[in-house]
Amino acid sequence: MERNLTNDVQLVTTQTIEIDQELRLESGRLLGPLTLAYETYGTLNDTASNAILVTHAWTGDAHAAGRHSEEDRKPGWWDNMIGPGRVLDTDKYYVICSNVIGSCKGSTGPTSTNPQTGRPYRLKFPIVMVRDMVRAQKLMLDALGISSLVTVIGGSMGAMQALEWGIHYPDMVRSIIPIAGTGRTSPMAIALNALARQAIYNDPLWKKGNYKPEHQPASGFALARAVGHISFLSEESMAMKFGRRFSARDGLFDFFGQFEVERYLEYNGNSFPARFDCNSFLYLAKALDLYDVSWNFSGMEEALERLDCPSLWFAFTSDWLYRPEQTEEVVDVLQKANKPVTYHLIDSDYGHDSFLVEPEKFTPYVVEFLRQLEV
């Protein structure tokens, strides 16, 4: 990490690491060589025992905290969580955030060059699962000389990664903190992703994934993002933010006039293609749809039997994408198996995005959990 505290701005640089080997994916296919993008915050201690891995959600990236330049308008996506004296205290911990494979934010994905053809993978890229993402992260940490993690913490798809870390690398992970997660993606979540996919497929510019980067299927992609974004919100949060207000720039009886909530979704969707790749969006959506912690186990009980480290779970009352009952299904199995598990249901009106919007409601529990690990 490059750090500069001038004007209280923490400057960071996204780094990449090249892994010159092939990763055998859950599909049986081989993917390699690999590039992993990552950022680090804080200092690794002499025994390399103070590392924390932060795992990101669907369209997130490695830029979890700080700014890349003093001119950046926004810091990293979890900046309020990571830094000196913050929840993930960089005076104490060495925090790492890695971009997942399948993404377009620096790690190997559909936009990367296929070494066999010299051209972008596009839809030749293999299907990856969350477990594959975690195995790639393990290769990265091995290359960085890190063999122990204080905890793995993340929300949404990041919670899935945290759970997979605890199950598949029990000798390396000392705890996990899954937030707004699930043990398996529900039919409703899969159905929403199916609508998003169809919006993209029906855009003639998609060309079965063979679009040029400068000519993405922006119309279909914007609609797909809007569908996804609705699932991150809640009825309560939309009522608070928009109500039934009609756009001041439109006439109430204009046929194409919009409510404020419509205009917001349109803006959010239309701005998204400029910062994310459509094929990567589809591949990560597929990884979410396929997620089931019991994959290649006889059931959830056998999979979770491998989770021996303490785990701290959070769900949010208004989350209708990964409902509290889905988190509680996993927690119940762990409790019945007498595993060291703690669960908190957090009252929040911000839906699935609560872990990003109102971290102050659950972070005291994280601080205490980490303190107990030191005892």
Side-chain angles (χ1 to χ4, degrees):
M1 177 188 77
E2 294 180 8
R3 183 174 173 184
N4 182 339
L5 296 182
T6 302
N7 299 325
D8 294 324
V9 175
Q10 178 177 309
L11 299 183
V12 298
T13 301
T14 302
Q15 304 174 68
T16 58
I17 191 167
E18 306 295 330
I19 300 171
D20 191 18
Q21 69 180 82
E22 291 184 316
L23 175 67
R24 183 170 293 279
L25 304 172
E26 287 295 313
S27 65
R29 291 183 62 182
L30 296 174
L31 178 65
L34 299 173
T35 299
L36 275 296
Y38 68 99
E39 289 187 5
T40 66
Y41 319 92
T43 303
L44 188 65
N45 63 18
D46 292 339
T47 57
S49 61
N50 67 331
I52 287 177
L53 181 64
V54 170
T55 48
H56 68 75
W58 185 354
T59 57
D61 54 30
H63 185 41
R67 286 176 166 84
H68 289 146
S69 74
E70 294 189 17
E71 290 72 40
D72 280 358
R73 291 177 53 241
K74 291 183 178 181
W77 56 270
W78 232 7
D79 187 71
N80 52 7
M81 288 278 289
I82 302 167
R86 296 180 183 172
V87 179
L88 304 182
D89 187 352
T90 52
D91 289 333
K92 182 185 300 183
Y93 301 114
Y94 181 64
V95 181
I96 308 162
C97 184
S98 169
N99 185 226
V100 299
I101 57 172
S103 181
C104 57
K105 293 294 187 174
S107 294
T108 300
T111 62
S112 302
T113 299
N114 182 342
Q116 295 180 356
T117 66
R119 297 190 295 271
Y121 278 103
R122 297 192 176 96
L123 296 196
K124 298 293 185 182
F125 193 74
I127 296 296
V128 296
M129 298 180 72
V130 172
R131 196 166 296 172
D132 299 318
M133 300 172 185
V134 167
R135 289 190 175 125
Q137 290 165 358
K138 173 63 163 56
L139 292 176
M140 180 195 75
L141 293 181
D142 288 346
L144 295 175
I146 297 172
S147 59
S148 175
L149 292 170
V150 175
T151 199
V152 183
I153 178 172
S156 191
M157 190 178 81
M160 299 172 184
Q161 294 169 67
L163 181 55
E164 292 292 309
W165 264 103
I167 289 173
H168 294 281
Y169 299 104
D171 295 333
M172 183 174 178
V173 178
R174 285 142 58 192
S175 69
I176 61 170
I177 307 177
I179 306 169
T182 179
R184 50 191 165 201
T185 303
S186 71
M188 186 197 74
I190 295 170
L192 290 171
N193 284 346
L195 290 178
R197 268 190 288 275
Q198 287 302 318
I200 292 170
Y201 295 166
N202 289 337
D203 189 320
L205 290 181
W206 185 59
K207 299 179 181 178
K208 295 186 177 179
N210 291 311
Y211 54 86
K212 293 182 178 180
E214 63 272 23
H215 297 299
Q216 290 209 73
S219 178
F221 196 9
L223 179 56
R225 175 62 174 180
V227 170
H229 197 68
I230 291 170
S231 71
F232 305 152
L233 305 176
S234 70
E235 184 174 358
E236 295 90 342
S237 65
M238 284 192 278
M240 287 188 294
K241 188 168 185 175
F242 307 109
R244 286 181 46 82
R245 294 190 304 276
F246 207 76
S247 173
R249 71 184 70 179
D250 296 335
L252 183 63
F253 297 106
D254 291 348
F255 184 79
F256 292 104
Q258 293 180 312
F259 286 92
E260 288 290 354
V261 67
E262 292 179 275
R263 190 169 291 280
Y264 169 77
L265 290 173
E266 183 179 84
Y267 169 79
N268 187 275
N270 287 337
S271 63
F272 190 65
R275 59 186 176 87
F276 211 83
D277 172 64
C278 184
N279 285 340
S280 296
F281 179 88
L282 291 169
Y283 270 89
L284 296 179
K286 178 65 72 173
L288 287 167
D289 289 350
L290 292 174
Y291 185 66
D292 185 343
V293 69
S294 65
W295 171 260
N296 277 343
F297 292 99
S298 63
M300 187 175 290
E301 289 77 10
E302 183 187 10
L304 295 176
E305 181 59 38
R306 296 169 57 95
L307 184 65
D308 292 323
C309 68
S311 60
L312 174 64
W313 295 76
F314 296 100
F316 299 92
T317 53
S318 59
D319 186 349
W320 63 281
L321 181 61
Y322 298 149
R323 300 191 320 275
E325 302 95 289
Q326 296 176 30
T327 300
E328 290 159 6
E329 178 185 25
V330 179
V331 171
D332 287 346
V333 172
L334 291 171
Q335 288 175 336
K336 289 175 182 177
N338 294 315
K339 301 293 184 177
V341 56
T342 305
Y343 168 66
H344 297 282
L345 176 60
I346 305 299
D347 186 19
S348 176
D349 290 332
Y350 288 96
H352 188 62
D353 270 353
S354 294
F355 76 96
L356 296 172
V357 179
E358 292 190 312
E360 68 277 3
K361 288 193 172 182
F362 66 86
T363 49
Y365 299 112
V366 175
V367 172
E368 177 60 21
F369 180 75
L370 293 175
R371 189 189 69 81
Q372 287 293 330
L373 292 175
E374 299 171 0
V375 175

